[in-house]
Amino acid sequence: MNLYFHDESRFGLITKQKRVITAKGIKPIGKYKHSYLYKWLWGSFSPITGESFCITIQGVCKDFFIKYLQDFSNHKPRELKIMIIDNAAFYSTKDIVLPENIVLMLIPPYCPELNPAEKVWQCMKDKIAMKIHDTLGILENKMDVLINDLEGNLVKSITRYEFYKNTFYGVFKD
């Protein structure tokens, strides 16, 4: 049994800007690319084991969510996955059959601070900020590198909120 936090994030060719340090009175200069081409990265991250599961998809919709659930279910198929999701409209599960090894739980609406997966995206986007990616293929390769760099201790350090960890271990004692 494992606890996962799920979310999706858009990664695009538009340059993500961030603050930089310069001398007083000097405006920073940075290259910028404006483009509306992007990919969506869907991921689930465990604050308990540091396990992560990510796939790149063309967008967000109910059909993509169903596909993601099937792929996630096949990842460690004997593991019961408690998956915490937000209230995105395309997560509606009224007329879909969930895989047997996945249980969904919703966080309250408009509370992204309760979903530590948001912090994983922020960490990844900080690593590509202020960089130009000429094509979606190049960006996707960089996203693959970032996913591969998500080792267990890093995932746990980003996602391990004490109240989630304590609740999980309080309910599911070994």
Side-chain angles (χ1 to χ4, degrees), residues 82-145:
I82 301 169
M83 191 169 148
I84 312 296
I85 60 174
D86 59 25
N87 284 280
F90 52 88
Y91 289 158
S92 174
T93 57
K94 292 176 185 168
D95 57 347
I96 67 170
V97 177
L98 289 173
E100 287 183 11
N101 63 340
I102 295 180
V103 176
L104 298 180
M105 296 180 71
L106 295 171
I107 59 173
Y110 309 107
C111 296
E113 67 278 4
L114 295 178
N115 189 348
E118 299 276 358
K119 291 192 174 221
V120 175
W121 301 140
Q122 188 61 50
C123 176
M124 292 174 76
K125 287 181 176 185
D126 284 347
K127 292 180 181 178
I128 63 169
M130 303 299 285
K131 295 184 175 62
I132 302 286
H133 300 93
D134 292 323
T135 67
L136 277 178
I138 293 170
L139 176 62
E140 206 166 343
N141 288 339
K142 181 61 179 174
M143 289 164 54
D144 289 342
V145 168

Side-chain angles (χ1 to χ4, degrees), residues 22-26:
T22 65
K24 185 176 181 177
I26 304 294

Side-chain angles (χ1 to χ4, degrees), residues 4 12 33 35 45 47 53 62 64 66-67 79 84 86 94-95 104 117 131 133 141 145 148 150 163:
Y4 290 89
K33 179 176 185 170
S35 173
F45 309 96
F53 178 80
K62 189 175 192 172
F64 290 149
I66 293 168
K67 167 81 170 106
E79 175 184 73
I84 312 296
D86 59 25
K94 292 176 185 168
D95 57 347
L104 298 180
K131 295 184 175 62
H133 300 93
N141 288 339
V145 168
N148 290 333
L150 283 177
F163 57 93

